[in-house]
């Protein structure tokens, strides 16, 4: 009887610890929200190409002001939308940027294959236990990449990391054709002034008929330094005005994700990319948005 009682106490303690840890994770994820000065830095570190004329990508450094909005939250999900603001007055240029959704113990998500194709992945309970999946979406809310990991708190460091395949980044999509998969080593690390997104990436050429070919490696670090929310005033105003439209877009994509085990997307429709349509005020109601998204989905 004493042993049974001890086991019950132990199980209750473990459950309580798990709940406390989960809540701590949620607060950590939410701490990434707010107004940030961002520095994007990327450098190609090694090349493995057999092409003697190979030219590495130039080092990339860019700066931005970004409003990171907690758009939705429930017990197991957080939707975080990034909004770029270029300028500090009413004439500032505002652009919807990438989106990150965090899901606790997610057992079903999309994994990038290559050439604008994603496959649905299902994992068992034990593979997802106590892990958070970061689902990352493009500016038009189409899929980008997804991977799971555990938030870790050790030696005064707070971080989450994983390795996952992704499409080419926007900074290289129009200038590189020698690779078609970026294997991303992602590390999100919280610090005293904000957070960092560190990346150890591999540029890979992939096909259906041959083994992957490693072309080059790169290191990237995006530094997010928190500033007063007031600095992102115009990004906040823009998002408050446009967020309902983008909820419609998210909902339409969710239907696509639910209904398909494989998703292949066209790069263009009538010579225009998807974001060009969705960024336009011409497409604002549910049927218009549904139709334009469907025009980009290849029939498998």
């Amino acid at each position: 009887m004493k042993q049974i009682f001890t086991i019950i106490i132990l199980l209750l303690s473990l459950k309580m610890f798990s709940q406390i840890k989960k809540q701590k994770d949620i607060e950590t994820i939410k701490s990434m929200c707010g107004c940030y000065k961002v520095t994007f830095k990327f450098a190609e570190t090694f090349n493995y190409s057999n092409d003697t004329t190979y030219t590495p990508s130039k080092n990339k450094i860019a700066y931005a002001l970004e409003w990171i909005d907690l758009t939705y939250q429930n017990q197991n999900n957080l939707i975080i939308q990034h909004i770029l603001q270029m300028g500090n007055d009413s004439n500032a240029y505002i652009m919807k940027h990438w989106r990150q959704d965090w899901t606790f113990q997610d057992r079903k998500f999309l994994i990038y294959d290559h050439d604008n194709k994603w496959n649905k992945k299902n994992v068992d309970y034990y593979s997802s236990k106590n892990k958070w999946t970061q689902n990352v979406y493009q500016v038009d809310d189409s899929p980008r990449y997804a991977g799971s990991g555990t938030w870790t708190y050790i030696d005064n460091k707070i971080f989450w990391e994983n390795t996952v395949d992704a499409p080419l980044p926007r900074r290289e999509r129009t200038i590189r054709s020698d690779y078609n998969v970026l294997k991303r080593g992602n590390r999100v690390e919280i610090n005293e002034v904000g957070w960092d997104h560190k990346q150890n990436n591999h540029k890979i050429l992939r096909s259906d008929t041959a083994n992957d070919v490693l072309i080059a490696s790169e290191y990237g670090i995006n530094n997010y330094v928190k500033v007063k929310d007031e600095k992102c005033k115009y990004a906040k105003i823009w998002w408050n005005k446009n967020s309902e439209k983008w909820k419609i877009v998210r909902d339409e994509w969710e239907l696509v994700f639910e209904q398909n085990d494989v998703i292949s997307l066209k790069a263009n429709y009538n010579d225009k990319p998807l974001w060009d349509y969705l960024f336009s005020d011409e497409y604002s109601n549910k049927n218009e948005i549904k139709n334009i998204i469907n025009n980009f989905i290849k029939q498998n």
Side-chain angles (χ1 to χ4, degrees):
M1 188 70 180
K2 185 177 180 180
Q3 287 179 329
I4 294 174
F5 181 75
T6 302
I7 291 171
I8 292 172
I9 294 297
L10 178 60
L11 291 174
L12 289 173
S13 298
L14 289 172
K15 184 177 181 180
M16 183 176 295
F17 173 80
S18 179
Q19 290 173 341
I20 293 172
K21 170 65 165 55
K22 178 184 175 184
Q23 188 57 43
K24 186 175 183 179
D25 293 346
I26 289 172
E27 294 306 314
T28 297
I29 294 168
K30 288 168 64 175
S31 75
M32 288 191 282
C33 298
C35 185
Y36 288 87
K37 288 175 63 177
V38 192
T39 305
F40 305 94
K41 294 180 284 189
F42 293 91
E44 202 162 287
T45 52
F46 299 98
N47 85 73
Y48 308 95
S49 175
N50 293 323
D51 183 356
T52 57
T53 64
Y54 176 81
T55 302
S57 296
K58 294 180 179 179
N59 289 357
K60 173 76 173 181
I61 301 179
Y63 305 91
L65 191 65
E66 193 154 73
W67 174 247
I68 304 177
D69 185 80
L70 179 61
T71 297
Y72 175 80
Q73 177 186 356
N74 64 20
Q75 288 185 333
N76 294 312
N77 301 277
L78 298 95
I79 296 177
I80 296 175
Q81 179 62 60
H82 292 235
I83 308 291
L84 285 175
Q85 176 180 307
M86 285 151 275
N88 296 304
D89 56 28
S90 57
N91 294 317
Y93 177 74
I94 311 299
M95 190 186 85
K96 180 182 177 294
H97 204 196
W98 64 291
R99 185 180 117 227
Q100 51 173 327
D101 291 6
W102 292 85
T103 304
F104 186 63
Q105 296 185 164
D106 197 4
R107 295 179 59 185
K108 182 171 61 178
F109 43 92
L110 291 171
I111 296 296
Y112 188 64
D113 188 345
H114 68 291
D115 295 343
N116 250 17
K117 177 183 174 183
W118 290 259
N119 299 315
K120 189 174 290 182
K121 179 180 180 180
N122 295 291
V123 299
D124 60 38
Y125 169 77
Y126 293 101
S127 298
S128 65
K129 188 176 181 182
N130 295 325
K131 291 182 179 179
W132 286 89
T133 298
Q134 184 199 45
N135 290 278
V136 172
Y137 299 90
Q138 321 247 27
V139 297
D140 51 27
D141 284 331
S142 62
R144 185 156 177 73
Y145 62 87
S148 292
T150 304
W151 278 100
T152 301
Y153 307 84
I154 188 170
D155 293 336
N156 294 319
K157 291 183 179 180
I158 303 173
F159 62 91
W160 173 98
E161 59 186 4
N162 80 339
T163 300
V164 66
D165 293 342
L168 268 65
R170 289 173 64 86
R171 59 191 157 81
E172 297 215 317
R173 197 174 299 166
T174 59
I175 62 173
R176 294 287 293 266
S177 59
D178 58 334
Y179 77 100
N180 58 356
V181 174
L182 188 69
K183 185 174 285 293
R184 305 175 62 111
N186 295 305
R187 181 179 172 109
V188 177
E189 187 169 327
I190 310 299
N191 57 50
E192 292 179 353
V193 297
W195 57 284
D196 293 328
H197 180 193
K198 300 176 180 179
Q199 301 169 53
N200 279 299
N201 300 333
H202 298 298
K203 300 176 180 182
I204 292 171
L205 180 63
R206 178 174 295 167
S207 72
D208 293 324
T209 58
N211 293 330
D212 286 359
V213 178
L214 178 60
I215 304 298
S217 297
E218 73 170 6
Y219 181 73
I221 180 167
N222 301 335
N223 304 112
Y224 292 78
V225 178
K226 200 159 196 175
V227 296
K228 292 182 178 179
D229 285 359
E230 179 65 21
K231 289 185 176 293
C232 290
K233 172 183 177 180
Y234 299 101
K236 290 172 64 178
I237 291 172
W238 184 91
W239 183 237
N240 287 338
K241 180 181 176 181
N242 290 276
S243 59
E244 284 302 314
K245 169 183 173 175
W246 287 99
K247 183 181 185 306
I248 296 172
V249 176
R250 291 197 306 272
D251 289 345
E252 288 304 316
W253 274 118
E254 280 302 315
L255 290 175
V256 173
F257 302 154
E258 289 175 7
Q259 294 168 1
N260 296 275
D261 290 331
V262 177
I263 296 174
S264 295
L265 299 179
K266 303 172 187 175
N268 295 286
Y269 174 71
N270 288 340
D271 297 322
K272 289 172 61 174
L274 178 58
W275 64 264
D276 205 347
Y277 290 96
L278 293 180
F279 278 22
S280 170
D281 291 336
E282 293 180 27
Y283 301 89
S284 57
N285 69 51
K286 182 180 175 67
N287 288 333
E288 291 170 338
I289 289 169
K290 180 183 181 69
N291 288 337
I292 196 60
I293 289 176
N294 286 338
N295 284 331
F296 279 82
I297 299 173
K298 295 179 182 178
Q299 299 302 316
N300 298 307

